[in-house]
C-alpha cells in the first residue's frame, strides 16, 4: 500500500503536522527565484494570484493518469557507463530474446567484453571522429605533436555526478587541456549508439529501420541528482533519439532498478552464490571467489558467438523463494559510482517496491585508478605526472590501459607480482624532465613494494595492488554498513552484487566477509551485462516498479494569511488591506515519501480576481522534507506553469468561481506537472526543469 499523506481539505496543504489550518488562506504563485534568505519573490507580484476552491479537490490518483502506452517494434537500451558502454535490444514480439550488440573492433588482450570503452575522439576542428576502441586506437597511433591538436575524452560521465551547479553550458576538459561543452560530447556519444543500433536492426530487417519504431532506454545511476538525469535526456534529444514532443519514446532508467528487474529472472545456473555452503554451479564456496568466477567467465567466453540471451518468462528459482514482503539489496558497483537500492517483492505479480531511497557515492573502480595515479605521483612527483599527462596524452592513455588489465588480475590469494609496462615515452620524458632515470626515482622514493624490472616494467607485489583497492572497497563496505542500520533494511534476504566492478574478487571477498552472515550474496554470471539486459526488460514493461521513494520534496510558492507570532515579520506583505505571509512552501510531496507509479496529486484553485488573464504557478524542490519557505537554503525553482485564462465568455451566466486544476505526477523516474483551466479545457504542461532555472 502507498503511504498516506495527511491532507487538509481547505488549503491544499499536505503538511504532516497537525497544526490548525486556516481555510481562508489564499494561494498565489511566486514569480522570481529567491536571491537571499530574506528576499521575497512574492513582493514584486503584479497579479492578485489564485486562491483554493473551497473545498479543494485533492486527489491521490494512481490510476487515471497512466497514459495509453505507445507501441514500438523494438526496445534498445544504452548502458552509458563511466568506463565502458554498450547497447542491447529486444523486439517487442520476442521479449524473451535479448540481443547484445555486435562484437566491437579492437579490444584489450585478455579482457573479454561486449562493451566498448567510454572514450570519444574529436578532430582538431571539434567534429566527431570515433568512439570506443576505435577512438582509443586511432588516438594512440597519432604522432605526439599531432595528438595535441585532437580532443580525446574518457571517463567523462563522472562530471555529471560531481558538478554541483550543472547546466547545459557545463564544460569538459579533453586530454590536451582544451574545453568543450559536455552536452555536445554526450550527444555525440548517444548519436553514435543510435547509428550503430539502427544499422544492426536494418541489417536484420533487410530494409532501413525507422527510429520512430524504437523505444530508447538510457541507464543512469540512481544516486544522480535530478539535474544530471535531465541532462542525459537533453543530450538524447540533441542526438535525435527522441524529441520533447515525443518524450515517451525515451525512458531514463535507474541502473540498480534495471539490475533488480533482471535478477528476478535468474535461474540457478546463471548465478554464483558467494555465501553457499554447498557446491553451486559445480564449484564449492572455497573456490567461488576468483577461480569459480573465472570458470563462469570462460563458459560465457566460449559461448560468446551466441549474442542472444534467452530470458524465460518465469520468475527464477531464487525469486521463487521470496515471499510477499521479503526485502533484498542491489549493490550496483560500476566504474564511477556505487548505487545501493532496497526493494521489496509484491506478489502475485512479482512487482517491486522501493523501500529506501537510493544511496551510494563515487566509489566505483575509478577510485582504484586514482590510487594508482597517487602512487605514481609519490614515486615520480606530482609535477611530472601533471606535465606528462598534458605533453604526452596518448602515452598516458597507454599507461592506464596497461594498468587496467593488471588491475583485473588482482585477487585475494595471488602470490606472484603484477607487471605494468611503462611506455617508452614515459621513461624518455622523465629522464629529460628530471635529469635521472626512472629506476633512480624508484630507488629514491622508498616505495619498496614497487620494483623496477629491466624489461621496462613496474613490478608491483600483490599486496601493493590490493592496497590500491582498499580505500574504495572500504568506502563501499562502510556505506553498506550504514544502510543495514536503517529500520527499512532490517531482515534483508539477499544481496545482489552487480556492475562491472562486481567482477573484482577483492570486492566479492570483502562483501562476503562483512555481510555473509546477514544475507545470501548473489552475483549474476556475465555480471557486467546485468544492467544492460535489465534495462531492456524495463523498456518492455516500465510498470514493473510499482512504488518508488521520492528523492526530493516538491511544492509551490504560495501566499498564506499572516499569523502574528507564527510567521517571520520580514515575510509580512500587506496587499489591498490584507496581511499575507509571503514565500510559503506549499508541499505536494515530501522527500523519501512512497509514491505509486503514475500517482497524481491534484489540487483546485481559482483566480483571486475574476478579471485575471494569466496565472503563473512556480514549482520548487528541496532535498529536505522540513521546508517552510521557498527562500530556505537548498530550495530551488524547477518549473513554471503559465496558464492563459482568456477565451471564455463572461457575463451573468459565467460560473462564479473559475476552477484551475494543478496536477503533479510522481512515481516515474521523472516528474511532470500540469495546470488545467476547467472552463476552457486549456492546459499547460511542464517537465520539472533543473537546468534552465
Amino acid at each position: 500500500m502507498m503511504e498516506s499523506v495527511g491532507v487538509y481539505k481547505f488549503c491544499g496543504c499536505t503538511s504532516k503536522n497537525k497544526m490548525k489550518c486556516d481555510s481562508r488562506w489564499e494561494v498565489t504563485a511566486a514569480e522570481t527565484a529567491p536571491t537571499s534568505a530574506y528576499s521575497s519573490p512574492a513582493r514584486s507580484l503584479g497579479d492578485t494570484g489564485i486562491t483554493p476552491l473551497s473545498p479543494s479537490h485533492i486527489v491521490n490518483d494512481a490510476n487515471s493518469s497512466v497514459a495509453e502506452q505507445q507501441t514500438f517494434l523494438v526496445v534498445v537500451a544504452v548502458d552509458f557507463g563511466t568506463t565502458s558502454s554498450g547497447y542491447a535490444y529486444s523486439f517487442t514480439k520476442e521479449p524473451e530474446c535479448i540481443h547484445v550488440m555486435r562484437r566491437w573492433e579492437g579490444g584489450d588482450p585478455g579482457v573479454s567484453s561486449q562493451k566498448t570503452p567510454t572514450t570519444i575522439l574529436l578532430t582538431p576542428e571539434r567534429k566527431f571522429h570515433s568512439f570506443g576502441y576505435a577512438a582509443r586506437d586511432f588516438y594512440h597511433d597519432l604522432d605526439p605533436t599531432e595528438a595535441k591538436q585532437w580532443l580525446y575524452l574518457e571517463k567523462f560521465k563522472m562530471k555529471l555526478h560531481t558538478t554541483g551547479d550543472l547546466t547545459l553550458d557545463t564544460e569538459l576538459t579533453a586530454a590536451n587541456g582544451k574545453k568543450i561543452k559536455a552536452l555536445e560530447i554526450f550527444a555525440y556519444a548517444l548519436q553514435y549508439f543510435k547509428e550503430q543500433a539502427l544499422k544492426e536492426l536494418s541489417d536484420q530487417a533487410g530494409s532501413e529501420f525507422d527510429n520512430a519504431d524504437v523505444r530508447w532506454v538510457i541507464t543512469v545511476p540512481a544516486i544522480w541528482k535530478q539535474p544530471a538525469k535531465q541532462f542525459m535526456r537533453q543530450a538524447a534529444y540533441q542526438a535525435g533519439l527522441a524529441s520533447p514532443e515525443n518524450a515517451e519514446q525515451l525512458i531514463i532508467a535507474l541502473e540498480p532498478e534495471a539490475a533488480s528487474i533482471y535478477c528476478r529472472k535468474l535461474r540457478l545456473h546463471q548465478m554464483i552464490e558467494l555465501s553457499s555452503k554447498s557446491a553451486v554451479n559445480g564449484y564449492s564456496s572455497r573456490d567461488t571467489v576468483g577461480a569459480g568466477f573465472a570458470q563462469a567467465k570462460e563458459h560465457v567466453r566460449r559461448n560468446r558467438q551466441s549474442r542472444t540471451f534467452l530470458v524465460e518468462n518465469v520468475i527464477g528459482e531464487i525469486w521463487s523463494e521470496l515471499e510477499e514482503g521479503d526485502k533484498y539489496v542491489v549493490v550496483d558497483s560500476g566504474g564511477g559510482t556505487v548505487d545501493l537500492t532496497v526493494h521489496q517483492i509484491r506478489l502475485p505479480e512479482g512487482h517491486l517496491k522501493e523501500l529506501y531511497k537510493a544511496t551510494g557515492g563515487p566509489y566505483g573502480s575509478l577510485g582504484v585508478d586514482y590510487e594508482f595515479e597517487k602512487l605514481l605521483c609519490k614515486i615520480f612527483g606530482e609535477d611530472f605526472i601533471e606535465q606528462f599527462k598534458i605533453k604526452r596524452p596518448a602515452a598516458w592513455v597507454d599507461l592506464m590501459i596497461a594498468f587496467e588489465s593488471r588491475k583485473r588480475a588482482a585477487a585475494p590469494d595471488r602470490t606472484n607480482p603484477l607487471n605494468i609496462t611503462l611506455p617508452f615515452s614515459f621513461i624518455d620524458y622523465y629522464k629529460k624532465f628530471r635529469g635521472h632515470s626512472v629506476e633512480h626515482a624508484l630507488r629514491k622514493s622508498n616505495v619498496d613494494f614497487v620494483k623496477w624490472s629491466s624489461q621496462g616494467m613496474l613490478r608491483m607485489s600483490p599486496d601493493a595492488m590490493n592496497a590500491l583497492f582498499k580505500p574504495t572497497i572500504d568506502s563501499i563496505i562502510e556505506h553498506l554498513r550504514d544502510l543495514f542500520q536503517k529500520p527499512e533494511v532490517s531482515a534483508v534476504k539477499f544481496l545482489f552484487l552487480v556492475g562491472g566492478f562486481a567482477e573484482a574478487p577483492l570486492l566479492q571477498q570483502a562483501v562476503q566477509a562483512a555481510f555473509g552472515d546477514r544475507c545470501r550474496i548473489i552475483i549474476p554470471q556475465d555480471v557486467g551485462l546485468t544492467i544492460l539486459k535489465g534495462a531492456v526488460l524495463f523498456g518492455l514493461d516500465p510498470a514493473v516498479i510499482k512504488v518508488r521513494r521520492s528523492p526530493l520534496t516538491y511544492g509551490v510558492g504560495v501566499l498564506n494569511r499572516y499569523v502574528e507570532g507564527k510567521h517571520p515579520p520580514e515575510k509580512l506583505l500587506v496587499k489591498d488591506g490584507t496581511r499575507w505571509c509571503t514565500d510559503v512552501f506549499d508541499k505536494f510531496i515530501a522527500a523519501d515519501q512512497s509514491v505509486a507509479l503514475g500517482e497524481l496529486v491534484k489540487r483546485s484553485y481559482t483566480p483571486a480576481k475574476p478579471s485575471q488573464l494569466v496565472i503563473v504557478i512556480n514549482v520548487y524542490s528541496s532535498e529536505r522534507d522540513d521546508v517552510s519557505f521557498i527562500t530556505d537554503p537548498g530550495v530551488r525553482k524547477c518549473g513554471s506553469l503559465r496558464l492563459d485564462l482568456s477565451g471564455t465568455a463572461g457575463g451573468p451566466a459565467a460560473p462564479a468561481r473559475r476552477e484551475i486544476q494543478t496536477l503533479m505526477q510522481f512515481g516515474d523516474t521523472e516528474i511532470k506537472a500540469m495546470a488545467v483551466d476547467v472552463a476552457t479545457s486549456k492546459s499547460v504542461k511542464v517537465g520539472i526543469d533543473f537546468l534552465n532555472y
Side-chain angles (χ1 to χ4, degrees), residues 467-532:
L468 299 181
F469 281 77
K470 193 175 185 309
T472 304
I473 289 176
D474 284 354
S475 295
I476 295 170
I477 299 299
E478 186 183 343
H479 210 90
L480 266 169
R481 278 212 173 94
D482 288 347
L483 182 68
F484 272 94
Q485 298 304 314
K486 311 287 182 196
E488 301 92 332
V489 193
S490 61
V492 163
K493 217 165 194 180
F494 297 105
L495 185 153
F496 290 98
L497 192 56
V498 303
F501 195 26
E503 291 185 12
L506 291 165
L507 177 59
Q508 294 172 23
Q509 186 196 50
V511 172
Q512 169 60 23
F515 306 105
D517 57 344
R518 293 190 186 205
C519 56
R520 291 165 64 184
I521 294 160
I522 310 288
I523 304 180
Q525 282 188 8
D526 227 358
V527 66
L529 296 175
T530 302
I531 290 157
L532 193 48

XYZ file of all heavy atoms in Angstrom, residues 467-532:
514
model
N 46.366 -2.998 -2.053
C 46.291 -1.753 -1.276
C 45.628 -0.631 -2.082
O 44.992 0.258 -1.511
C 47.688 -1.324 -0.833
N 45.770 -0.684 -3.415
C 45.145 0.339 -4.262
C 43.618 0.202 -4.244
O 42.896 1.170 -4.429
C 45.644 0.236 -5.712
C 47.147 0.421 -5.950
C 47.458 0.318 -7.441
C 47.631 1.765 -5.414
N 43.129 -1.011 -4.023
C 41.683 -1.256 -3.964
C 41.083 -0.848 -2.618
O 39.885 -0.564 -2.531
C 41.380 -2.752 -4.173
C 41.424 -3.214 -5.604
C 42.636 -3.422 -6.249
C 40.260 -3.461 -6.309
C 42.682 -3.868 -7.560
C 40.293 -3.904 -7.626
C 41.505 -4.107 -8.257
N 41.922 -0.871 -1.574
C 41.401 -0.793 -0.205
C 40.526 0.438 0.084
O 39.408 0.287 0.595
C 42.565 -0.873 0.792
C 42.089 -1.120 2.225
C 43.257 -1.320 3.178
C 42.794 -1.688 4.570
N 41.766 -0.794 5.129
N 40.970 1.668 -0.243
C 40.126 2.827 0.106
C 38.739 2.760 -0.535
O 37.735 3.073 0.112
C 40.924 4.026 -0.440
C 42.334 3.549 -0.550
C 42.246 2.088 -0.864
N 38.673 2.340 -1.796
C 37.386 2.280 -2.494
C 36.499 1.199 -1.889
O 35.313 1.437 -1.608
C 37.605 2.007 -4.001
O 38.459 3.022 -4.520
C 36.306 2.012 -4.761
N 37.064 0.011 -1.677
C 36.277 -1.094 -1.113
C 35.833 -0.762 0.311
O 34.693 -1.024 0.696
C 37.076 -2.422 -1.182
C 37.164 -2.883 -2.653
C 36.425 -3.500 -0.318
C 38.011 -4.121 -2.876
N 36.714 -0.133 1.087
C 36.347 0.269 2.455
C 35.147 1.219 2.442
O 34.257 1.124 3.290
C 37.531 0.946 3.162
C 38.584 -0.070 3.606
O 38.338 -1.288 3.474
O 39.668 0.358 4.065
N 35.132 2.146 1.472
C 34.016 3.102 1.367
C 32.712 2.376 1.060
O 31.657 2.710 1.603
C 34.284 4.132 0.265
O 35.395 4.924 0.587
N 32.785 1.376 0.184
C 31.578 0.612 -0.180
C 31.053 -0.152 1.041
O 29.861 -0.118 1.350
C 31.881 -0.371 -1.338
C 32.235 0.401 -2.617
C 30.686 -1.298 -1.596
C 32.792 -0.471 -3.738
N 31.966 -0.827 1.744
C 31.557 -1.628 2.919
C 30.970 -0.725 4.000
O 29.933 -1.037 4.604
C 32.762 -2.436 3.478
C 33.301 -3.423 2.430
C 32.376 -3.161 4.764
C 32.318 -4.476 1.953
N 31.604 0.434 4.214
C 31.120 1.365 5.239
C 29.720 1.872 4.877
O 28.833 1.956 5.728
C 32.101 2.545 5.350
C 31.775 3.496 6.482
C 32.718 4.698 6.517
O 33.806 4.650 5.892
O 32.350 5.687 7.149
N 29.533 2.178 3.598
C 28.229 2.672 3.151
C 27.157 1.592 3.318
O 26.026 1.878 3.737
C 28.325 3.117 1.691
C 27.381 4.219 1.366
N 27.705 5.547 1.490
C 26.089 4.190 0.963
C 26.663 6.290 1.166
N 25.669 5.487 0.832
N 27.518 0.348 3.006
C 26.580 -0.765 3.189
C 26.248 -0.962 4.671
O 25.096 -1.215 5.032
C 27.177 -2.045 2.611
C 26.804 -2.380 1.164
C 27.670 -3.514 0.638
C 25.329 -2.762 1.052
N 27.266 -0.829 5.515
C 27.032 -0.979 6.977
C 26.014 0.052 7.456
O 25.108 -0.259 8.226
C 28.348 -0.805 7.733
C 29.177 -2.065 7.752
C 30.006 -2.212 9.036
N 30.620 -3.525 9.027
C 31.845 -3.779 8.563
N 32.580 -2.792 8.089
N 32.338 -5.007 8.568
N 26.191 1.300 6.985
C 25.246 2.366 7.366
C 23.837 2.014 6.893
O 22.864 2.210 7.616
C 25.658 3.714 6.742
C 26.901 4.296 7.404
O 27.281 3.799 8.483
O 27.504 5.232 6.837
N 23.751 1.503 5.674
C 22.449 1.157 5.101
C 21.772 0.062 5.928
O 20.572 0.135 6.209
C 22.616 0.698 3.646
C 21.329 0.354 2.890
C 20.496 1.605 2.647
C 21.639 -0.312 1.557
N 22.541 -0.933 6.336
C 21.976 -2.056 7.095
C 21.490 -1.640 8.486
O 20.775 -2.391 9.140
C 22.991 -3.202 7.194
C 22.928 -4.165 6.034
C 23.753 -4.001 4.933
C 22.040 -5.231 6.034
C 23.699 -4.876 3.852
C 21.975 -6.111 4.961
C 22.802 -5.937 3.869
N 21.904 -0.441 8.947
C 21.433 0.058 10.246
C 20.010 0.612 10.156
O 19.332 0.766 11.165
C 22.353 1.184 10.764
C 23.798 0.771 11.012
C 23.911 -0.392 11.977
O 23.261 -0.408 13.018
N 24.717 -1.384 11.627
N 19.552 0.952 8.939
C 18.241 1.580 8.777
C 17.140 0.557 9.062
O 17.225 -0.600 8.648
C 18.047 2.113 7.350
C 19.191 2.953 6.822
C 19.243 4.313 7.461
C 20.379 5.150 6.878
N 20.707 6.296 7.700
N 16.079 0.995 9.747
C 14.993 0.049 10.071
C 14.352 -0.569 8.826
O 13.936 -1.726 8.836
C 13.977 0.914 10.839
C 14.454 2.323 10.766
C 15.878 2.319 10.340
N 14.298 0.231 7.715
C 13.677 -0.295 6.485
C 14.475 -1.451 5.884
O 13.982 -2.196 5.040
C 13.570 0.806 5.414
C 12.760 2.013 5.816
C 13.609 3.122 6.429
O 14.668 2.830 7.029
O 13.204 4.273 6.307
N 15.752 -1.571 6.302
C 16.649 -2.550 5.679
C 16.896 -3.742 6.608
O 17.788 -4.547 6.393
C 17.973 -1.860 5.262
C 18.801 -2.733 4.344
C 17.692 -0.547 4.547
N 16.084 -3.844 7.655
C 16.266 -4.990 8.553
C 15.761 -6.256 7.853
O 14.886 -6.197 6.998
C 15.483 -4.759 9.846
O 14.112 -4.627 9.536
N 16.318 -7.372 8.219
C 15.884 -8.691 7.711
C 15.920 -8.780 6.188
O 14.984 -9.253 5.562
C 14.488 -9.008 8.220
N 17.024 -8.317 5.595
C 17.209 -8.454 4.145
C 17.566 -9.901 3.826
O 18.392 -10.505 4.512
C 18.333 -7.508 3.655
C 18.838 -7.901 2.287
C 17.831 -6.073 3.629
N 16.954 -10.473 2.780
C 17.167 -11.882 2.465
C 18.359 -12.097 1.527
O 19.136 -13.019 1.694
C 15.900 -12.461 1.828
C 15.615 -13.886 2.237
C 14.191 -14.300 1.880
C 13.813 -15.575 2.599
N 12.465 -16.017 2.306
N 18.459 -11.219 0.503
C 19.522 -11.368 -0.497
C 20.254 -10.050 -0.708
O 19.673 -8.976 -0.537
C 18.954 -11.784 -1.870
C 18.284 -13.111 -1.884
C 16.909 -13.215 -1.928
C 19.036 -14.279 -1.869
C 16.277 -14.447 -1.941
C 18.414 -15.519 -1.885
C 17.039 -15.600 -1.921
N 21.515 -10.164 -1.096
C 22.267 -9.014 -1.586
C 22.776 -9.394 -2.980
O 23.518 -10.366 -3.126
C 23.425 -8.677 -0.644
C 24.237 -7.422 -0.963
C 24.861 -6.845 0.319
C 25.342 -7.658 -1.976
N 22.316 -8.665 -3.992
C 22.776 -8.910 -5.365
C 23.912 -7.944 -5.675
O 23.729 -6.725 -5.586
C 21.629 -8.714 -6.365
C 20.577 -9.779 -6.278
C 19.412 -9.573 -5.555
C 20.746 -10.998 -6.920
C 18.434 -10.559 -5.471
C 19.777 -11.993 -6.843
C 18.622 -11.773 -6.112
N 25.062 -8.487 -6.019
C 26.230 -7.669 -6.356
C 26.342 -7.642 -7.874
O 26.553 -8.685 -8.506
C 27.485 -8.292 -5.719
C 28.768 -7.471 -5.694
C 28.572 -6.131 -5.014
C 29.883 -8.249 -4.994
N 26.149 -6.446 -8.474
C 26.135 -6.333 -9.937
C 27.029 -5.171 -10.373
O 27.559 -4.431 -9.548
C 24.695 -6.118 -10.464
C 23.780 -7.235 -10.018
C 24.132 -4.764 -10.041
N 27.169 -5.020 -11.710
C 28.010 -3.954 -12.258
C 29.406 -4.469 -12.555
O 29.829 -5.518 -12.057
N 30.140 -3.734 -13.373
C 31.471 -4.167 -13.818
C 32.458 -4.399 -12.684
O 33.242 -5.356 -12.706
N 32.404 -3.555 -11.639
C 33.356 -3.670 -10.527
C 33.065 -4.913 -9.689
O 33.929 -5.398 -8.955
C 33.287 -2.392 -9.678
C 34.436 -2.208 -8.715
C 35.685 -2.774 -8.952
C 34.278 -1.439 -7.572
C 36.746 -2.594 -8.057
C 35.318 -1.245 -6.680
C 36.557 -1.831 -6.925
N 31.840 -5.464 -9.828
C 31.474 -6.679 -9.087
C 32.288 -7.884 -9.541
O 32.313 -8.912 -8.871
C 29.984 -6.961 -9.257
N 32.968 -7.766 -10.694
C 33.828 -8.855 -11.159
C 35.107 -8.963 -10.322
O 35.796 -9.974 -10.384
C 34.206 -8.631 -12.628
C 33.039 -8.790 -13.584
C 33.472 -8.685 -15.040
O 34.688 -8.720 -15.305
O 32.595 -8.568 -15.905
N 35.439 -7.904 -9.568
C 36.691 -7.893 -8.807
C 36.602 -8.859 -7.624
O 35.792 -8.651 -6.717
C 36.993 -6.479 -8.312
N 37.440 -9.926 -7.608
C 37.410 -10.871 -6.486
C 37.642 -10.197 -5.144
O 37.101 -10.635 -4.125
C 38.553 -11.852 -6.813
C 38.713 -11.774 -8.300
C 38.397 -10.344 -8.658
N 38.427 -9.121 -5.114
C 38.693 -8.427 -3.845
C 37.414 -7.817 -3.280
O 37.181 -7.847 -2.066
C 39.750 -7.325 -4.051
C 41.170 -7.812 -4.341
C 42.024 -6.677 -4.888
C 41.823 -8.397 -3.087
N 36.580 -7.254 -4.153
C 35.314 -6.687 -3.695
C 34.363 -7.803 -3.265
O 33.705 -7.712 -2.224
C 34.673 -5.837 -4.803
C 33.295 -5.238 -4.480
C 33.358 -4.336 -3.255
C 32.738 -4.462 -5.673
N 34.314 -8.878 -4.043
C 33.457 -10.019 -3.685
C 33.803 -10.538 -2.295
O 32.924 -10.758 -1.454
C 33.640 -11.153 -4.698
C 33.162 -10.835 -6.107
C 33.551 -11.932 -7.082
O 33.792 -13.072 -6.696
N 33.623 -11.599 -8.353
N 35.096 -10.709 -2.049
C 35.531 -11.260 -0.763
C 35.170 -10.319 0.385
O 34.706 -10.763 1.444
C 37.046 -11.490 -0.781
C 37.541 -12.198 0.483
C 39.042 -12.079 0.651
O 39.603 -10.990 0.569
N 39.700 -13.205 0.859
N 35.355 -9.015 0.168
C 35.081 -8.035 1.232
C 33.589 -8.015 1.580
O 33.212 -7.961 2.758
C 35.546 -6.645 0.793
N 32.722 -8.057 0.563
C 31.278 -8.040 0.800
C 30.849 -9.327 1.509
O 30.070 -9.305 2.467
C 30.505 -7.857 -0.529
C 29.003 -8.044 -0.329
C 30.789 -6.481 -1.123
N 31.407 -10.456 1.073
C 31.082 -11.739 1.692
C 31.517 -11.767 3.160
O 30.763 -12.205 4.035
C 31.752 -12.883 0.905
C 31.718 -14.242 1.578
C 30.304 -14.737 1.837
O 29.367 -14.299 1.174
N 30.149 -15.621 2.796
N 32.733 -11.265 3.431
C 33.251 -11.277 4.805
C 32.411 -10.387 5.720
O 32.166 -10.724 6.876
C 34.708 -10.810 4.811
N 31.946 -9.247 5.184
C 31.225 -8.283 6.022
C 29.752 -8.646 6.215
O 29.183 -8.386 7.276
C 31.337 -6.883 5.414
N 29.118 -9.245 5.185
C 27.659 -9.406 5.251
C 27.162 -10.824 4.986
O 25.956 -11.062 4.973
C 26.986 -8.444 4.247
C 27.421 -7.022 4.441
C 28.308 -6.426 3.553
C 26.976 -6.291 5.522
C 28.734 -5.126 3.741
C 27.397 -4.985 5.720
C 28.280 -4.402 4.832
N 28.097 -11.776 4.809
C 27.705 -13.152 4.505
C 26.879 -13.799 5.594
O 26.103 -14.719 5.324
N 27.006 -13.306 6.836
C 26.232 -13.907 7.927
C 24.844 -13.267 8.063
O 24.007 -13.723 8.824
C 26.995 -13.779 9.254
C 27.332 -12.331 9.596
O 27.257 -11.477 8.678
O 27.659 -12.046 10.761
N 24.599 -12.182 7.316
C 23.303 -11.487 7.413
C 22.343 -11.872 6.301
O 21.133 -11.825 6.476
C 23.509 -9.968 7.308
C 24.234 -9.359 8.453
C 24.123 -7.862 8.322
N 24.935 -7.186 9.323
C 24.690 -5.980 9.766
N 23.656 -5.316 9.297
N 25.471 -5.415 10.656
N 22.903 -12.136 5.111
C 22.038 -12.431 3.972
C 22.828 -13.237 2.943
O 24.047 -13.364 3.046
C 21.518 -11.137 3.337
S 22.821 -10.017 2.833
N 22.122 -13.757 1.952
C 22.783 -14.536 0.898
C 23.281 -13.580 -0.185
O 22.535 -12.712 -0.648
C 21.801 -15.558 0.330
C 21.479 -16.642 1.357
C 20.262 -17.438 0.979
N 20.459 -18.187 -0.266
C 19.506 -18.905 -0.857
N 18.295 -18.939 -0.318
N 19.750 -19.560 -1.965
N 24.535 -13.754 -0.585
C 25.150 -12.834 -1.542
C 25.240 -13.512 -2.902
O 25.854 -14.566 -3.047
C 26.529 -12.370 -1.024
C 26.316 -11.538 0.239
C 27.251 -11.550 -2.084
C 27.495 -11.402 1.122
N 24.595 -12.887 -3.884
C 24.435 -13.477 -5.212
C 25.100 -12.591 -6.262
O 24.925 -11.371 -6.252
C 22.931 -13.605 -5.576
C 22.143 -14.275 -4.449
C 22.743 -14.299 -6.916
C 22.381 -15.743 -4.282
N 25.852 -13.212 -7.170
C 26.429 -12.492 -8.305
C 25.932 -13.142 -9.592
O 26.159 -14.331 -9.806
C 27.972 -12.543 -8.291
C 28.504 -12.007 -6.970
C 28.551 -11.755 -9.445
C 29.998 -12.034 -6.875
N 25.239 -12.376 -10.461
C 24.818 -12.969 -11.742
C 26.047 -13.241 -12.611
O 27.014 -12.476 -12.580
C 23.957 -11.871 -12.384
C 23.680 -10.891 -11.294
C 24.810 -10.991 -10.323
N 26.006 -14.321 -13.369
C 27.068 -14.534 -14.357
C 26.956 -13.443 -15.407
O 25.888 -12.880 -15.624
C 26.917 -15.906 -15.013
C 27.428 -17.021 -14.126
C 27.463 -18.353 -14.841
O 27.258 -18.447 -16.036
N 27.724 -19.403 -14.098
N 28.085 -13.159 -16.070
C 28.117 -12.066 -17.047
C 27.639 -10.783 -16.369
O 26.830 -10.017 -16.901
C 27.241 -12.398 -18.260
C 27.976 -12.097 -19.555
O 29.118 -11.617 -19.475
O 27.420 -12.344 -20.633
N 28.179 -10.561 -15.177
C 27.690 -9.517 -14.278
C 27.748 -8.121 -14.901
O 26.902 -7.267 -14.639
C 28.465 -9.589 -12.938
C 29.936 -9.249 -13.116
C 27.841 -8.709 -11.885
N 28.716 -7.888 -15.799
C 28.852 -6.573 -16.429
C 27.715 -6.237 -17.377
O 27.528 -5.082 -17.745
N 26.927 -7.254 -17.778
C 25.810 -7.010 -18.699
C 24.454 -7.030 -17.988
O 23.410 -6.892 -18.615
C 25.803 -8.067 -19.816
C 27.011 -8.057 -20.760
C 26.932 -9.216 -21.735
C 27.113 -6.739 -21.517
N 24.468 -7.204 -16.672
C 23.220 -7.306 -15.902
C 22.337 -6.076 -16.099
O 21.130 -6.180 -16.341
C 23.536 -7.477 -14.396
O 24.341 -8.632 -14.232
C 22.278 -7.624 -13.573
N 22.934 -4.889 -15.979
C 22.165 -3.647 -16.072
C 21.619 -3.469 -17.486
O 20.467 -3.084 -17.684
C 23.034 -2.450 -15.647
C 23.269 -2.531 -14.139
C 22.395 -1.120 -16.015
C 24.476 -1.811 -13.647
N 22.452 -3.783 -18.468
C 22.049 -3.638 -19.873
C 20.829 -4.508 -20.173
O 19.843 -4.061 -20.767
C 23.235 -4.027 -20.759
C 23.183 -3.688 -22.238
C 22.767 -2.249 -22.465
C 24.523 -3.953 -22.884
